[in-house]
Amino acid sequence: MKKFVLAIAISATMAATTANAGTLVDPIVEPEIIIEEAATSSSAGILVPLLLLIMIGAAMSGGGNTPVKG
């Protein structure tokens, strides 16, 4: 009896394995569409010249503190 049940279990396992076989056709995969929004800044064009003017102004105002020997 055990051999009969074992034979049925093995044949059921073999049948289930072949039923789950895949196909030869490649699956159709839809491409994912990604939309990026460009980050714009209206103050980016004036920021660098403004920082340059602040640095020049700080350098000119700090230059008069040296003592004059004479």
Side-chain angles (χ1 to χ4, degrees):
M1 182 75 166
K2 285 186 178 182
K3 289 183 180 181
F4 181 70
V5 173
L6 182 62
I8 290 176
I10 290 174
S11 64
T13 305
M14 296 292 280
T17 307
T18 57
N20 289 331
T23 62
L24 297 176
V25 179
D26 291 336
I28 299 172
V29 179
E30 302 261 342
E32 184 176 334
I33 299 173
I34 300 173
I35 300 173
E36 274 189 43
E37 294 184 15
T40 59
S41 177
S42 61
S43 65
I46 198 164
L47 186 62
V48 174
L50 185 62
L51 288 174
L52 183 64
L53 286 175
I54 290 172
M55 289 173 45
I56 291 173
M60 291 178 72
S61 67
N65 293 338
T66 57
V68 177
K69 291 183 180 179

